[in-house]
Amino acid sequence: MTTTVTNHRPQPPVQPVTLRAKRLPAYAAPAIAVVALLVAAGIVYGAGIGGPVLVVVVGALLYLAGLFLTANAVEGRRSARNRTWSALIHSAFVLAVLPLASVVWTLVSKGAERLDANFFFTSMNNIGARDANGGAYHAIIGTLEQVGIATLITVPLGVLCAIYVVEYGRGRFAFTIRFFVDVMTGIPSIVTGLFVLAFWVLIVSPWFSPDGQPGFSGFAAALALSVLMLPTVVRSTEEMLRLVPAPLREGAYALGVPKWKTILRVVLPTALPGIVTGVMLAVARAAGETAPVLLVAGGGAAINFNPFENNQSSLALFVYQQAGEASKYSPARAWTAALTLVALVLILTVAAKLLARRNRLGR
């Protein structure tokens, strides 16, 4: 009979397998940034080679280098490269936002001086160089009328042109339209002003004048602005219409819906938010143009509610004129007018976006 002896030796405890890698603590990156700025300040100010801007630049470079070395030592090379590139992306975002924030802060800080009722409800008529009063009421009226008329002219033409190019256009004619729209995108504003001056002001306007003489008007400025707005509206609308999924069109056609009704009820509501964005970009450009208004509307210090007769000003032209005036009160008016122009475009953009959201196809 054979006897088997089993040796019951104690086994070492089994170590649990973990997939968690070493990670830097949450405070590591801010701490590295603070140390990098301190070292950069010591280098820059100690050597006397620059100011705060150079401190930020040197500190950013030291931060990237320190973050990479620290993460490489703790987390490994792959994670270190990921952290470094993420920091570069965030730095690029900050660099893109800083100029915008600087512009907004400058406008608000310098434009707040004349944010009063006198500025918004009086004009520059009979205002001398030593008079602290005077406002931009006439320029606000001119901007609203000129940009409004230009928008009424441009949006239907631009949207219909884009619909033709995307939905119907084939062959050389559609290619020609695209080509000239691209060419018009790069036309300087002064050229459009000269075109309207030569065509409308000098040739057409005498027909409607009682004395047969050419004359400036806000409507002429609106025509010049519409020429500038048209390529932006056409190109943005064209791209938005191309982004509408083909199954939406095919589903409507399968139900027997005519093509024109499909475009009107399906395609346009789907692309409406993007179209509105393109229109507001065009409006913002038109509202900030100075040369066309100066050439064909002439400007003016008095209030003119009639865009079809006599000179008319705009906020952009008002800023230009006040910036060149030899008066100690003019810079404050110019900054407040610039702030008003930005706020006006912002209000119009927000209102258009809210209106587009209420009229989306999904609602």
Side-chain angles (χ1 to χ4, degrees):
M1 182 175 180
T2 304
T3 305
T4 303
V5 179
T6 304
N7 187 12
H8 295 282
R9 294 183 177 179
Q11 298 295 325
V14 179
Q15 297 293 333
V17 179
T18 178
L19 298 178
R20 299 183 62 183
K22 294 182 178 180
R23 301 285 295 176
L24 286 175
Y27 60 83
I32 295 173
V34 172
V35 173
L37 286 176
L38 293 176
V39 173
I43 295 174
V44 172
Y45 289 117
I49 57 176
V53 176
L54 186 60
V55 170
V56 174
V57 173
V58 176
L61 296 176
L62 293 177
Y63 168 72
L64 292 175
L67 182 64
F68 177 81
L69 294 175
T70 305
N72 187 41
V74 177
E75 300 177 344
R77 188 174 185 83
R78 183 174 182 180
S79 181
R81 285 185 295 182
N82 179 64
R83 282 184 176 272
T84 305
W85 281 106
S86 298
L88 283 173
I89 293 172
H90 294 152
S91 301
F93 169 75
V94 172
L95 289 177
V97 171
L98 279 179
L100 177 61
S102 176
V103 170
V104 172
W105 171 253
T106 304
L107 285 176
V108 172
S109 61
K110 295 188 175 183
E113 182 178 348
R114 283 300 314 275
L115 285 177
D116 50 42
N118 180 266
F119 181 84
F120 289 104
F121 294 102
T122 60
S123 67
M124 290 298 296
N125 199 25
N126 298 324
I127 298 296
R130 297 183 179 180
D131 195 341
N133 294 321
Y137 180 67
H138 62 298
I140 296 173
I141 295 298
T143 297
L144 292 175
E145 290 184 352
Q146 294 164 19
V147 175
I149 294 173
T151 304
L152 291 176
I153 296 173
T154 306
V155 172
L157 289 177
V159 173
L160 290 175
C161 180
I163 290 175
Y164 173 79
V165 170
V166 175
E167 303 291 340
Y168 297 97
R170 298 292 184 273
R172 292 186 177 181
F173 186 62
F175 174 79
T176 304
I177 293 176
R178 294 191 190 97
F179 174 76
F180 280 106
V181 168
D182 292 337
V183 171
M184 289 177 63
T185 304
I187 292 179
S189 60
I190 189 70
V191 175
T192 63
L194 290 172
F195 167 73
V196 174
L197 176 66
F199 172 70
W200 181 266
V201 176
L202 299 180
I203 297 177
V204 179
S205 66
W207 297 354
F208 302 97
S209 177
D211 54 1
Q213 296 296 322
F216 293 148
S217 65
F219 181 73
L223 292 179
L225 297 179
S226 65
V227 175
L228 293 173
M229 294 172 61
L230 186 60
T232 303
V233 174
V234 173
R235 292 296 297 171
S236 60
T237 305
E238 180 184 350
E239 295 302 323
M240 291 302 104
L241 293 179
R242 293 186 187 279
L243 291 177
V244 176
L248 289 178
R249 296 180 174 89
E250 295 170 357
Y253 298 153
L255 294 174
V257 181
K259 187 171 185 178
W260 68 269
K261 189 173 289 187
T262 300
I263 296 172
L264 186 63
R265 297 295 182 87
V266 177
V267 177
L268 285 179
T270 305
L272 185 60
I275 295 174
V276 170
T277 300
V279 170
M280 295 315 300
L281 287 175
V283 168
R285 181 189 178 185
E289 290 293 344
T290 303
V293 181
L294 181 61
L295 281 174
V296 300
I303 300 171
N304 180 16
F305 289 98
N306 187 357
F308 300 99
E309 291 183 0
N310 299 326
N311 293 22
Q312 196 175 56
S313 185
S314 69
L315 280 172
L317 182 58
F318 181 80
V319 172
Y320 170 76
Q321 291 173 338
Q322 290 299 310
E325 289 287 337
S327 171
K328 66 177 182 179
Y329 303 108
S330 296
R333 299 191 194 106
W335 281 112
T336 306
L339 177 61
T340 304
L341 180 59
V342 173
L344 182 63
V345 173
L346 177 62
I347 292 172
L348 292 176
T349 302
V350 172
K353 284 290 187 180
L354 293 177
L355 183 62
R357 288 184 60 184
R358 291 189 62 183
N359 289 277
R360 289 182 64 179
L361 182 65
R363 298 189 177 212

